[in-house]
Amino acid sequence: MAADLSSAALAAAAAPVGAAPVLRTEDLGIRFGGLAALNGVNFAVARGEIRAVIGPNGAGKSTFFNCLTGVLRPSSGRILFNDDEITGLSPNRISRKGIARSYQITNILPNATTLENVRIAAQSRRHGWSLFTHHRAFRDIIEKAEAVLATVGLAAKADELAANLSHGEQRNLEIGIALATEPQLLCLDEPTAGMSAGETDDTIALVRRIARDLTILIVEHDMTVVMGLAHRITVLHYGAILAEGTPAEIQSNPRVLEVYLKT
Amino acid sequence: MTARRTRIFWMAFAVILALLIVMPFGLPEFWRRFLTEILIWGLLAMSSDILIGYTGMVSFGHSAFFGLGMYGAAAALLTTRPPSLWLALLYGLIAAATVAAFVAYFSTRLRDIYFAITTLIFSQIFYVIIFTWTDATGGENGLAFSRPALAIPGLFSLPFTTLTLYWFVLAVVTGSYLVLRRITRSPFGMVLQSIRENEARTRAIGYPVERYKIVAVMFSGLFAGLAGVLYAIQNRFAAPDFVFFVVSGEAVIYNIMGGVGTLVGPIVGAAAFLLLREGLSRLFPYLASVASQHGLALPGLAEFPYLIPLGIIFIAIVIFMPQGLLGFARRRLNE
Amino acid sequence: MLEEFLIQTINGIVVGMILALVASGLTLIFGIMDVVNFAHGELFMLGAYVGVVTLAGTGSFWLALLVATLVVAALGAAIHVTTLRPLLGRDPLNTILVTFGISLVLQNYALWQFGPVARKINEPFTGHFNLFYLEYPWYRLVIALLSAAIIAGLWLFLKYSTYGVWIRATTQDRLMAQAMGIPVPRLLTIVFAIGSGMAAASGVLFGPLVGVNHAMGLDWVLKAFIVVVVGGMGNLVGSIAASIFISLTESYASLWVSPSQAIIVSFVVLILTLLIRPTGLFVPTPK
């Protein structure tokens, strides 16, 4: 298995070099009281790249995602998406710009069906203010939702209540909800958290499938996932970028090994 | 809903509607008026269900919308000759919608408990304004006016009887139910339910949640105001008591007793509550007279306030039937 | 004009201290238990009635104060155990509804038991001093001092006593507190009882200033909520500051408008607070 992953990694490592960064931050910082959770982060990811963001607990990975998606307002610095300033915008406006996110702790609508979870996300771009037509009448949205469910492998569970899905299925639904908003940049926050080995492999294959048309940022703790998927890796430590590079470079970086990878 | 369930629903709807249409024939005057009141309060409770049951926002502001609808109708009925039903509706709805927009703007920025408290405070603000602005609103005594006729100017004019007024109110409430049912199943309605289930995620997938909440409050206020107009027409007076926040609380009680998130639940809840109230208020004097016939003097029994057992029943429902409460009667969103 | 201003200042402070006593109970309950106690005004009202009854029976104001506090505290404990403990762990909005129901029950009970005519509690001592052109009763100043004393007592209790420390631990991290063996449900009942007792005490203290009747709780519950939100939920010092602030603004407003309209001022303060600084005007560092 490991061999498969690393060869796939080599193949995937044909990352677009010199492509314009779809997202970059300039000196991004955020403070909570006296604590700087992020400090002087200059980050850039190219279109079509799969970038993993790793680091020990408390390094600022989720905070970084929260800043990108508008949940937190940075104390300093700027975030630019397609050269458009998005610093401090509200989450719904950032979503409309083309950034979507899945969550570390499953954040679905448990009392809705799997299909509805995705349908409502798909609807956010069109027909959201329609008042007097039944939602089922909008076939385009439903077909879009069904397509997304097929992509994440949940087509068979479309009418199942989301709360009844297995943990792994719910994690994939997370990704599906984000996908349904037609993003350019997809931020996956520990997508394989709590998954079995088999489920993890399925998710890796899923991410590879969808990566063809997207730029992906992925926060992960599972190193096999990271090494197998990422074109490049950014290592965060105490809110700052410790190192950046290809998986091979990171694996052999002494500072990273010291701080994080206990291989 | 599957095609089969849809058929069943509409059949049940038709049966119940037919029952409601013929029910007053067998009833004395008092009960005809009572049924009309049930429908009006049911409409108020249904309007509050939009917020509580579908959007997850507990509001205590409905007395303001109801009251403004009532006073708006009063304004129309007191200032135009002959008093016009349609103007009363128009003025009342505009007044209620304006107040709803105002309240919505300020209170929807706030979450949960703060939202509830703010809507309550707004009810009280309007109460104080109406209570003290005696010149315009009649202050404590309210306003009295005559009931308009069911009329289309130039075509016909039919003064309301208790029976025809009942049917008019039934038509309005049924129509409101159908409209609200449509709205809650529309894409807009599905967004409201998504907000109820997971507000943060709804925002994260691109919905401007605050705007949806404002529109929800406005719809809710509109139908509450409609209930107020109907009440004014039925009872021919407007009083500040109806703007007091306790009325909002009662609407919430009917809503919860009947089942939130169901639209019909609130109407059933209003019926149950009002019937229970009527029954209990007759029960205690009856028990007292029975007791004294048997030589047992139970002072105070006759005046025992029916609101005590009613309040206890309500508390019991909140504690023991949580599925009817903010946990929602219906689990599936696809309706 | 200056004289009226100063008189209203003193009035504002006096009423503010009583409001602070009521509000501290409410903010204690909210801050520690996440319970919005709609019935707080009724506990205030029942305290006043128990005071009336005890005073009629024993002739002693101070005994009435003590008995009212204890009786209503016990009532509060009973209410908590029967209706609020089952709601632990549920959406806090449930508690608003339950306490609203309780307030209806208590209000109607009082109406039935005592009738609609207002009762009076007589001051424990009469006696005035000359404040400008008024004869200002000593009693009013004593109330303010007493309220301050009770609140100070509460603060000391929370800071230094065993139970107080446990209560503060529970506020910070309920799960951890339970894991450490702190009897959380019992503690919450005690907190509710304390809050109820404080409301009752305010009722007795305030009794001589107005008539005691079954509806007196309604005004106070609204004002107390405004204070709690403006002062910061769960912030004791904040509620005191907010109580005084709001009472003062209302007292000054009553120089120009009627008292029933003056209450709009407090409403406006609340709305502004919620818009500008929702965590509370008197909270030191906004989050």
Side-chain angles (χ1 to χ4, degrees):
Chain A
M1 242 339 163
D4 282 331
L5 287 175
S6 50
S7 64
L10 287 173
V17 173
V22 62
L23 175 84
R24 63 187 171 87
T25 70
E26 287 174 5
D27 220 20
L28 184 66
I30 185 166
R31 307 187 70 86
F32 297 119
L35 175 68
L38 289 176
N39 199 357
V41 173
N42 290 302
F43 177 88
V45 61
R47 186 172 302 281
E49 197 182 316
I50 300 180
R51 173 76 65 90
V53 177
I54 67 174
N57 281 324
K61 308 187 293 294
S62 285
T63 310
F64 181 59
F65 267 19
N66 284 337
C67 283
L68 292 184
T69 52
V71 175
L72 289 175
R73 176 173 263 265
S75 321
S76 56
R78 299 161 76 200
I79 307 173
L80 294 120
F81 182 66
N82 288 323
D83 282 330
D84 211 356
E85 172 135 13
I86 61 167
T87 328
L89 285 184
S90 60
N92 58 287
R93 291 187 58 194
I94 289 189
S95 167
R96 286 180 178 262
K97 294 264 182 193
I99 301 180
R101 174 197 184 153
S102 80
Y103 291 79
Q104 182 182 355
I105 300 177
T106 309
N107 197 13
I108 57 181
L109 307 177
N111 289 324
T113 59
T114 309
L115 179 65
E116 177 60 27
N117 264 278
V118 175
R119 193 203 66 82
I120 194 110
Q123 186 193 278
S124 67
R125 300 299 187 252
R126 289 194 283 286
H127 311 305
W129 287 101
S130 174
L131 282 165
F132 296 108
T133 319
H134 197 289
H135 64 99
R136 287 254 176 80
F138 295 99
R139 292 301 312 168
D140 54 341
I141 306 281
I142 296 188
E143 277 157 23
K144 175 116 215 316
E146 286 170 345
V148 170
L149 281 185
T151 310
V152 298
L154 287 172
K157 303 271 180 150
D159 289 324
E160 187 82 33
L161 217 54
N164 295 338
L165 295 178
S166 73
H167 176 75
E169 287 167 336
Q170 286 183 348
R171 301 297 297 148
N172 285 340
L173 180 59
E174 272 285 322
I175 299 178
I177 294 175
L179 269 185
T181 60
E182 298 167 355
Q184 295 175 45
L185 173 69
L186 183 61
C187 302
L188 300 175
D189 200 343
E190 298 194 38
T192 66
M195 281 187 178
S196 67
E199 288 170 334
T200 305
D201 287 338
D202 289 338
T203 305
I204 294 177
L206 164 61
V207 175
R208 283 224 197 93
R209 270 203 307 275
I210 62 181
R212 277 192 272 270
D213 317 298
L214 289 174
T215 312
I216 299 186
L217 293 184
I218 174 166
V219 164
E220 254 301 344
H221 277 299
D222 186 337
M223 279 305 126
T224 40
V225 174
V226 171
M227 296 303 168
L229 271 180
H231 296 142
R232 290 171 64 77
I233 301 177
T234 300
V235 184
L236 284 183
H237 189 50
Y238 286 136
I241 297 183
L242 181 68
E244 264 180 350
T246 65
E249 288 166 3
I250 295 296
Q251 264 176 317
S252 50
N253 183 315
R255 282 157 68 209
V256 172
L257 287 171
E258 186 187 315
V259 157
Y260 188 40
L261 295 173
K262 295 162 189 84
T263 33
Chain B
M1 275 167 87
T2 60
R4 184 166 162 274
R5 278 169 73 181
T6 317
R7 265 204 307 275
I8 295 180
F9 170 79
W10 288 114
M11 280 187 343
F13 177 79
V15 168
I16 294 176
L17 186 59
L19 268 174
L20 285 173
I21 293 176
V22 302
M23 206 183 285
F25 282 122
L27 294 173
E29 182 83 357
F30 171 80
W31 290 103
R32 291 180 185 181
R33 278 204 305 271
F34 191 79
L35 272 182
T36 313
E37 287 234 1
I38 289 181
L39 287 175
I40 294 177
W41 292 114
L43 178 60
L44 178 64
M46 193 163 68
S47 77
S48 116
D49 199 18
I50 298 289
L51 289 183
I52 301 184
Y54 286 90
T55 323
M57 300 159 77
V58 176
S59 156
F60 284 100
H62 281 80
S63 52
F65 311 141
F66 181 81
L68 263 295
M70 205 170 53
Y71 276 93
L77 295 173
L78 284 172
T79 55
T80 56
R81 288 270 157 270
S84 158
L85 177 66
W86 311 109
L87 272 185
L89 280 167
L90 186 68
Y91 280 34
L93 288 178
I94 291 179
T98 312
V99 168
F102 184 73
V103 172
Y105 176 74
F106 285 103
S107 51
T108 50
R109 297 157 188 234
L110 308 162
R111 309 272 281 274
D112 307 323
I113 291 174
Y114 295 97
F115 172 78
I117 294 179
T118 308
T119 54
L120 193 155
I121 300 289
F122 269 109
S123 278
Q124 286 309 97
I125 290 181
F126 286 107
Y127 173 76
V128 170
I129 293 177
I130 289 177
F131 193 90
T132 52
W133 197 6
T134 318
D135 294 334
T137 64
E140 203 174 345
N141 298 317
L143 299 168
F145 39 84
S146 49
R147 189 184 287 170
L150 179 61
I152 298 178
L155 283 179
F156 67 87
S157 175
L158 204 65
F160 279 115
T161 63
T162 312
L163 200 55
T164 52
L165 183 61
Y166 168 78
W167 283 327
F168 178 72
V169 168
L170 180 61
V172 172
V173 173
T174 307
S176 304
Y177 169 73
L178 292 172
V179 169
L180 286 174
R181 190 164 184 275
R182 212 80 223 268
I183 293 179
T184 54
R185 285 160 173 72
S186 71
F188 171 80
M190 299 311 283
V191 177
L192 291 188
Q193 297 187 62
S194 177
I195 292 175
R196 175 192 74 208
E197 294 285 312
N198 193 334
E199 185 172 324
R201 196 70 201 260
T202 311
R203 202 172 274 124
I205 55 181
Y207 288 105
V209 166
E210 273 66 41
R211 275 192 226 161
Y212 278 86
K213 284 185 174 178
I214 289 178
V215 175
V217 172
M218 290 195 62
F219 266 115
S220 188
L222 208 62
F223 284 96
L226 182 59
V229 171
L230 292 176
Y231 192 88
I233 293 174
Q234 193 202 22
N235 292 300
R236 289 167 283 187
F237 68 83
D241 300 21
F242 295 102
V243 192
F244 202 73
F245 78 90
V246 173
V247 168
S248 302
E250 287 174 356
V252 174
I253 290 179
Y254 305 157
N255 200 342
I256 282 156
M257 276 179 81
V260 285
T262 57
L263 284 186
V264 277
I267 302 183
V268 170
F273 190 91
L274 289 169
L275 284 169
L276 211 53
R277 182 168 81 178
E278 196 60 35
L280 285 173
S281 70
R282 293 171 184 219
L283 178 66
F284 292 110
Y286 174 74
L287 284 178
S289 71
V290 164
S292 62
Q293 276 166 17
H294 290 256
L296 208 60
L298 288 173
L301 181 56
E303 301 95 37
F304 190 72
Y306 57 82
L307 273 176
I308 292 186
L310 214 44
I312 294 176
I313 291 174
F314 173 65
I315 293 172
I317 290 181
V318 172
I319 297 177
F320 296 113
M321 302 206 321
Q323 69 279 6
L325 190 53
L326 301 165
F328 320 118
R330 295 247 179 91
R331 285 187 51 99
R332 280 176 168 257
L333 289 186
N334 286 3
E335 308 192 41
Chain C
M1 191 57 190
L2 178 66
E3 298 165 340
E4 276 142 19
F5 188 78
L6 286 174
I7 291 172
Q8 289 303 353
T9 307
I10 298 187
N11 271 341
I13 294 181
V14 167
V15 174
M17 284 315 297
I18 301 181
L19 185 57
L21 193 56
V22 176
S24 333
L26 196 60
T27 203
L28 186 71
I29 292 175
F30 188 81
I32 293 178
M33 303 166 59
D34 249 344
V35 168
V36 179
N37 184 16
F38 244 95
H40 210 71
E42 273 59 50
L43 295 168
F44 171 87
M45 177 267 295
L46 280 179
Y49 267 118
V50 173
V52 165
V53 168
T54 317
L55 185 61
T58 64
S60 161
F61 176 88
W62 304 109
L63 196 58
L65 182 62
L66 183 65
V67 170
T69 308
L70 292 175
V71 166
V72 175
L75 177 67
I79 290 176
H80 184 259
V81 170
T82 51
T83 62
L84 291 172
R85 266 208 213 170
L87 296 178
L88 274 179
R90 290 218 233 144
D91 193 313
L93 289 170
N94 286 341
T95 61
I96 296 187
L97 296 166
V98 164
T99 53
F100 182 75
I102 293 173
S103 85
L104 280 183
V105 170
L106 291 179
Q107 235 189 86
N108 280 279
Y109 168 76
L111 178 58
W112 176 59
Q113 182 78 331
F114 298 106
V117 178
R119 309 286 184 98
K120 189 91 165 69
I121 297 183
N122 292 316
E123 301 103 343
F125 47 87
T126 50
H128 318 261
F129 61 93
N130 285 321
L131 182 66
F132 304 110
Y133 57 85
L134 276 189
E135 289 190 338
Y136 205 80
W138 278 115
Y139 177 66
R140 291 196 171 212
L141 293 183
V142 168
I143 301 178
L145 289 170
L146 259 179
S147 305
I150 298 179
I151 297 176
L154 176 70
W155 186 80
L156 287 170
F157 167 77
L158 282 178
K159 192 135 195 225
Y160 295 117
S161 80
T162 321
Y163 273 109
V165 172
W166 284 359
I167 289 171
R168 285 189 291 130
T170 313
T171 323
Q172 297 208 333
D173 193 335
R174 192 177 285 194
L175 217 51
M176 204 48 200
Q178 244 168 337
M180 285 173 35
I182 294 179
V184 170
R186 201 191 316 162
L187 215 54
L188 296 179
T189 307
I190 292 178
V191 168
F192 197 81
I194 294 177
S196 311
M198 289 175 75
S202 329
V204 176
L205 286 177
F206 195 64
L209 270 64
V210 294
V212 175
N213 83 316
H214 69 103
M216 69 191 296
L218 284 173
D219 285 327
W220 284 91
V221 82
L222 278 184
K223 287 228 189 97
F225 272 121
I226 294 177
V227 163
V228 165
V229 174
V230 170
M233 296 275 198
N235 182 354
L236 200 58
V237 172
S239 2
I240 299 173
S243 303
I244 310 242
F245 175 66
I246 283 178
S247 297
L248 280 176
T249 41
E250 258 191 53
S251 297
Y252 296 145
S254 67
L255 288 172
W256 287 281
V257 296
S258 73
S260 47
Q261 288 170 322
I263 193 167
I264 294 197
V265 167
S266 8
F267 293 152
V268 172
V269 169
L270 173 75
I271 308 276
L272 288 175
T273 308
L274 286 172
L275 289 180
I276 302 172
R277 199 130 137 184
T279 44
L281 281 182
F282 295 98
V283 174
T285 40
K287 268 198 241 165

